[in-house]
Amino acid sequence: MEFVVLSIGLVLIFEGLVFALAPSRLEDLLDALRLVPVEARRLIGLLALVAGVGLVVLYHGLTT
């Protein structure tokens, strides 16, 4: 459970930095993302999911 809380905290730090340091760039990114087809966005999301799970599994394997 400690690992989950730490992971969520790190994600919130990263997201908070984006909103705090570059809010206008975030708006530009969202505008560009609207131009990407839905299926491509879905594929990007799935690839990010797989990469995240892979990193968690790798980390867990290295620490046990």
Side-chain angles (χ1 to χ4, degrees):
M1 183 66 181
E2 181 180 326
F3 180 73
V4 172
V5 172
L6 175 63
S7 299
I8 292 171
L10 290 172
V11 168
L12 290 173
I13 288 170
F14 179 75
E15 293 291 330
L17 282 172
V18 172
F19 279 101
L21 298 178
S24 62
R25 294 292 295 162
L26 183 61
E27 289 178 16
D28 296 341
L29 177 63
L30 290 174
D31 289 338
L33 194 57
R34 285 186 189 95
L35 301 175
V36 177
V38 173
E39 290 304 317
R41 284 185 268 165
R42 182 170 286 122
L43 179 61
I44 292 168
L46 287 172
L47 291 173
L49 173 67
V50 169
V53 169
L55 286 172
V56 169
V57 168
L58 178 67
Y59 173 79
H60 184 66
L62 292 175
T63 60
T64 56

